[in-house]
Amino acid sequence: MRVLEEIKRQTLEQLGGLPGSLYLPIEEALKAESLKGDGRNHQYEDQAALWVLRQQQASHVMAFRQQVALGFDAFRAPGSAVGGLGGTPLQLVGDQQLAFDLDGERLTEALDHRYLRPLEMIQGRLKMLSQAMGAPIGINPLGPYRLVRAFTAVYNDATVTESLRLRLFRQYEQELARLLGDLYGRVNNLLATAGYGVGFGAPAPGAPVRAADDRARERNTLDEVFDTVPHREPHAPLPDYSAAMGGYSDSHGGSAGYGNYGAQAPVSQADVAAMASELAELRSQLHAWREGLVKTGGLPPAHMPQRSMAPRRELRVDEVVGMVSLLQPEPPDAFARALAVSGRLGETIRDQLYDGARRLGFNPDQTCFSAEEDDAIDLVALLFDSLFRNHALQDRARRVYARLVMPYVKVALTDNEVFVKREHPARRLLDAITEACEGNDGETQQDRDLLERASSISQRIVSDYNEDLAVFELAHAELDALLAQHRRRIELQEQRAAKATYGRERLNAARNQADHAVRERVGDSELTPAVAEFLATPWRHHVVQVLLRENEDPKRRAQALALGDALVMADRLAAENRGRELADQLLALQPVIVQCLASSGLDDNAAQQAMAELVRALATPDHARRQHPQPSAAEVEEDVAEERKLYLSAGMEQVAHDPLLAQRMRELEPGDWLRLTNTQGETLAVKVAWVSPLTSRLLLVNRRGVRALVASAEELAVLAASGRLVVGAERTAFDEAMRQVRRHLDRVI
């Protein structure tokens, strides 16, 4: 009973406030949607219903906590009516309750599938717990069915619109995805510690082991343009199943002992075999690469693997770790300088370790690093080099990474799973630090706060890390909390970039249509200068305004274009000296002409004066008439010109594109990641943030949500053919860096 009460306490502590956390993100999403372009998105009903829900937030939280608690009471007495699952008479169900129930069933199925493995472990352990209490097994009180039932029970009597109901379910699912992995890991650990089902959840005999060739990423036949299947951001964060099941243990047999990593459920044999195979493949690449460097003289004599020289004693891992611990708190200036030059970091790490060996009394002439220690050093060096080569990291971030070199060498020496295990805490921390530093020039206060926090966390790792991975987990949790706000700003930045781009495209399209209309009417006609000037300036501007503001009103558009035709006709009447018809024409056109002039910013007096000058010019039949120059093509905006100059080389617009490549580019969708190289050779990861419904051009933004390039599928195909664009970039910096390390080793070998 005490164990069950502790599980109940932890569940309520982590999940009890969920209804109160749903409303603010939904409110922000509604505000963002209400600001979209044309003003036709009406969210007033949703906002009004949400406002009512927010007023009742406290009661919703209390009702939710009560429902979750009832689930634990029902688990103690499964046969009773406690928990609202039994003894309920049949009755009619309202439309809203039916909709909630159907959505709840879908969410329950999704969560059951997502957390299948940890839920199986919890269910087995709860079965043993029920047997110990002498009670029949009940429904898992913290399983998806109970949590969804508790959620729907809160809103059964609330007035909720259909779209708001969908938003509530979507936000609830996202919040559960953020919390359930950690909760299930803690509960499994708690039950195992209490003796219920220790070792439960081991894989069945004969579980399939993933072969190395199955892990290899598919290469596209179009050369190396499509490096992988394009990575697409999920609509909601996916939970970390393996972390939820726990089971990190370092090479010394110790436990990280914090958060998800404290749950000591065994990792499945299939996962262990897959990681071992991947690590073995990586090591074989490293060995071939080092042998190639030795044969070609690519390494200085002092940095060649010492095992290839006279026989020497291989240093033990604990001896090298002692050297690293000695060097860890020292200034990282040497590493910062090495990071500025690609390929120098491995040499610098070995130089520093030789120095540490001498200080500890080891003679470098009589000792050498083992193959595993060489692998750890080279992998860390290649990893950090790849981070700086493939991510837009500013100079001020170099010292942050330089401090982390020795701690990560120590991690690699004691636990090489960091290179193949995605949920490793050291790996997640490096991802968070890269997210904070990439492209961050410290222009805003928020950016400066991120840099300062990343810097302080790197200093803390240096001072606190002593082979206990809990330091990385705590640091990641702290930095990730700050990055959550940063990610919301990035989403808004992407939305603003898309809106600005779309507005600019609409303006350019309207100008092009207006220029075409002017050319049609001026063309080869011989007109008085006043009429030609009126058509080329105020009338053109008026057409642009109508197309922008009232393009969907065919009547207004036809009226604007008819004014141009009527002025050309008036000029022809004046040339033929048909005064009465001309006067009637001008009298009929006067209100429309004044309105046209007013749209150019002229007040009533100025518009009347311009009208008088136009009438005066047409009143003289023998006024000189001639052909007038056509309007020139619209100039490209300055910022767009700079952007294209940075990524599209001169003359690239005239280069023929590959139709197959262009078709593949058209298949890209928002959320796909790519790698783009500018004319200076700098490579950065970019994401397809938006595809124009007007021109089908793709908006590419960097990891900070800032617009990098807007280009057509044909232009992207030309970039790809020239080797400056590769489709397929990993979502996290560590994954991307490791993939580039493998590609680099493949290429060199």
Side-chain angles (χ1 to χ4, degrees):
M1 294 296 288
R2 283 196 299 270
V3 171
L4 191 61
E5 282 299 318
E6 178 60 19
I7 294 174
K8 176 181 175 181
R9 185 192 67 77
Q10 292 195 19
T11 302
L12 290 174
E13 182 180 306
Q14 285 200 253
L15 305 182
L18 272 184
S21 66
L22 305 179
Y23 303 141
L24 182 58
I26 295 175
E27 184 179 19
E28 291 177 350
L30 288 173
K31 286 181 180 178
E33 290 182 10
S34 66
L35 295 176
K36 285 184 179 177
D38 55 9
R40 291 182 171 82
N41 293 324
H42 299 291
Q43 286 87 22
Y44 305 122
E45 294 181 1
D46 290 351
Q47 290 171 342
L50 182 63
W51 183 85
V52 173
L53 293 181
R54 295 201 67 170
Q55 301 307 305
Q56 303 170 355
Q57 177 174 324
S59 62
H60 291 162
V61 171
M62 292 300 296
F64 181 77
R65 292 176 66 89
Q66 183 180 14
Q67 289 292 329
V68 174
L70 284 174
F72 283 88
D73 295 339
F75 180 78
R76 292 192 189 95
S80 70
V82 178
L85 294 179
T88 303
L90 295 176
Q91 58 184 354
L92 293 176
V93 178
D95 290 341
Q96 177 170 304
Q97 184 179 347
L98 181 61
F100 265 98
D101 289 344
L102 291 174
D103 288 342
E105 288 177 6
R106 285 191 287 267
L107 178 55
T108 301
E109 290 177 4
L111 293 174
D112 278 333
H113 179 72
R114 182 177 294 178
Y115 295 103
L116 178 63
R117 291 173 65 190
L119 283 171
E120 286 177 350
M121 294 170 62
I122 290 176
Q123 188 66 23
R125 287 171 169 151
L126 288 177
K127 182 177 181 180
M128 296 182 66
L129 181 66
S130 296
Q131 293 171 353
M133 292 191 303
I137 183 66
I139 296 175
N140 183 353
L142 65 159
Y145 177 74
R146 272 295 184 184
L147 296 178
V148 173
R149 283 295 298 266
F151 174 73
T152 56
V154 172
Y155 297 100
N156 271 342
D157 299 327
T159 302
V160 178
T161 63
E162 181 180 358
S163 58
L164 181 57
R165 185 190 74 246
L166 297 176
R167 290 178 188 274
L168 284 169
F169 270 97
R170 185 161 56 245
Q171 190 63 35
Y172 184 59
E173 182 178 8
Q174 291 179 8
E175 292 297 317
L176 287 179
R178 184 173 62 85
L179 298 172
L180 282 186
D182 179 62
L183 175 62
Y184 288 162
R186 289 174 184 271
V187 171
N188 266 317
N189 190 34
L190 176 62
L191 287 166
T193 305
Y196 297 106
V198 176
F200 180 83
V209 178
R210 183 176 54 179
D213 55 350
D214 291 333
R215 292 192 323 275
R217 301 181 181 277
E218 277 193 351
R219 305 287 180 178
N220 192 280
T221 54
L222 294 171
D223 224 348
E224 291 187 344
V225 170
F226 287 79
D227 198 4
T228 66
V229 176
H231 179 90
R232 183 164 301 144
E233 284 190 342
H235 294 291
L238 295 177
D240 197 342
Y241 306 129
S242 50
M245 294 180 63
Y248 174 72
S249 179
D250 64 26
S251 62
H252 302 288
S255 167
Y258 176 80
N260 295 342
Y261 296 91
Q264 287 300 306
V267 179
S268 82
Q269 294 178 358
D271 289 341
V272 171
M275 287 191 291
S277 176
E278 186 174 353
L279 193 59
E281 182 184 353
L282 189 58
R283 284 176 181 245
S284 67
Q285 286 180 303
L286 271 175
H287 298 163
W289 170 67
R290 272 201 300 268
E291 289 173 7
L293 287 179
V294 171
K295 290 176 182 177
T296 58
L299 280 177
H303 296 101
M304 287 187 180
Q306 297 150 320
R307 299 176 306 283
S308 62
M309 302 179 184
R312 303 180 181 193
R313 180 180 74 84
E314 289 187 354
L315 291 164
R316 299 192 309 272
V317 169
D318 60 317
E319 293 173 335
V320 181
V321 168
M323 301 174 195
V324 176
S325 299
L326 174 69
L327 299 167
Q328 187 169 302
E330 296 191 354
D333 299 338
F335 300 128
R337 289 191 295 270
L339 284 171
V341 182
S342 179
R344 288 293 306 277
L345 185 58
E347 301 174 15
T348 306
I349 293 174
R350 285 186 169 84
D351 284 339
Q352 297 297 311
L353 289 177
Y354 296 153
D355 182 59
R358 292 187 188 95
R359 284 195 248 168
L360 291 174
F362 295 99
N363 186 349
D365 296 330
Q366 299 174 358
T367 57
C368 67
F369 297 125
S370 68
E372 291 75 13
E373 291 157 357
D374 274 328
D375 290 345
I377 294 169
D378 286 332
L379 279 174
V380 170
L382 290 169
L383 169 69
F384 277 73
D385 272 341
S386 178
L387 282 172
F388 267 81
R389 196 168 53 247
N390 296 295
H391 294 78
L393 296 172
Q394 309 295 324
D395 287 340
R396 61 191 303 172
R398 188 177 297 127
R399 195 168 183 84
V400 174
Y401 286 83
R403 290 193 199 101
L404 296 171
V405 169
M406 277 302 171
Y408 274 82
V409 170
K410 188 190 291 186
V411 171
L413 287 168
T414 58
D415 180 18
N416 49 30
E417 283 184 355
V418 67
F419 298 109
V420 292
K421 192 174 182 180
R422 289 198 170 196
E423 66 272 15
H424 197 286
R427 185 167 181 152
R428 294 164 70 190
L429 177 62
L430 198 58
D431 284 335
I433 289 177
T434 305
E435 185 179 352
C437 295
E438 185 174 12
N440 191 344
D441 50 13
E443 285 187 355
T444 66
Q445 183 60 45
Q446 293 87 349
D447 288 343
R448 288 191 290 273
D449 289 343
L450 269 178
L451 286 174
E452 290 170 6
R453 186 67 61 86
S455 178
S456 67
I457 282 175
S458 69
Q459 291 172 341
R460 191 188 313 161
I461 294 296
V462 168
S463 61
D464 295 350
Y465 174 51
N466 188 21
E467 302 178 54
D468 184 1
L469 293 173
V471 176
F472 290 94
E473 184 70 14
L474 286 166
H476 172 262
E478 177 185 335
L479 184 56
D480 195 58
L482 186 61
L483 283 170
Q485 305 171 13
H486 174 67
R487 295 183 192 112
R488 286 195 288 271
R489 287 196 297 272
I490 288 177
E491 290 175 4
L492 292 175
Q493 182 79 10
E494 290 179 6
Q495 292 173 10
R496 284 195 291 267
K499 288 178 182 177
T501 304
Y502 186 48
R504 189 171 293 159
E505 285 190 348
R506 290 187 64 224
L507 177 59
N508 287 337
R511 285 175 174 171
N512 289 333
Q513 291 182 54
D515 289 340
H516 178 70
V518 171
R519 282 192 290 270
E520 280 186 335
R521 284 149 185 85
V522 174
D524 299 329
S525 303
E526 294 187 350
L527 302 172
T528 58
V531 172
E533 177 65 22
F534 187 92
L535 291 173
T537 309
W539 180 71
R540 174 186 178 276
H541 180 77
H542 177 62
V543 171
V544 169
Q545 296 298 314
V546 170
L547 291 174
L548 285 176
R549 296 175 181 173
E550 304 178 65
N551 189 37
E552 295 182 4
D553 187 347
K555 184 178 179 181
R556 292 281 297 138
R557 181 177 178 179
Q559 286 176 350
L561 295 175
L563 174 59
D565 295 329
L567 286 173
V568 174
M569 175 60 70
D571 191 279
R572 187 177 302 119
L573 293 174
E576 296 173 0
N577 200 15
R578 295 157 65 181
R580 180 175 296 278
E581 296 177 53
L582 174 62
D584 293 340
Q585 179 90 330
L586 290 176
L587 286 172
L589 291 177
Q590 180 179 0
V592 186
I593 293 175
V594 171
Q595 183 183 7
C596 172
L597 292 167
S599 70
S600 298
L602 301 180
D603 59 18
D604 190 58
N605 290 334
Q608 293 291 349
Q609 183 178 354
M611 175 72 186
E613 292 175 358
L614 183 62
V615 170
R616 187 180 305 113
L618 291 172
T620 308
D622 55 352
H623 199 286
R625 288 172 171 79
R626 58 182 177 81
Q627 292 185 356
H628 297 271
Q630 304 289 324
S632 58
E635 295 183 359
V636 180
E637 294 86 348
E638 183 178 350
D639 57 342
V640 177
E642 288 298 320
E643 172 187 294
R644 298 178 71 80
K645 185 178 178 182
L646 181 61
Y647 293 102
L648 297 167
S649 305
M652 189 168 281
E653 295 84 352
Q654 284 74 41
V655 177
H657 66 274
D658 183 340
L660 181 58
L661 262 180
Q663 180 58 36
R664 294 295 299 272
M665 295 300 169
R666 291 188 194 97
E667 294 171 0
L668 295 174
E669 297 179 10
D672 288 342
W673 284 89
L674 310 92
R675 291 194 307 281
L676 182 64
T677 304
N678 62 23
T679 52
Q680 280 76 43
E682 299 171 346
T683 301
L684 73 158
V686 293
K687 182 178 74 171
V688 179
W690 173 76
V691 180
S692 170
L694 197 62
T695 63
S696 297
R697 295 194 304 169
L698 292 85
L699 168 64
L700 307 182
V701 298
N702 61 20
R703 291 190 188 269
R704 304 188 70 79
V706 178
R707 168 173 158 166
L709 177 66
V710 177
S712 65
E714 291 75 17
E715 290 170 335
L716 294 182
V718 173
L719 279 172
S722 65
R724 300 240 305 276
L725 179 75
V726 177
V727 176
E730 297 289 350
R731 178 65 185 92
T732 63
F734 203 109
D735 288 341
E736 178 64 18
M738 286 307 300
R739 187 175 66 168
Q740 293 302 319
V741 166
R742 292 186 179 91
R743 285 177 54 78
H744 169 71
L745 294 176
D746 278 340
R747 189 163 51 247
V748 173
I749 293 168

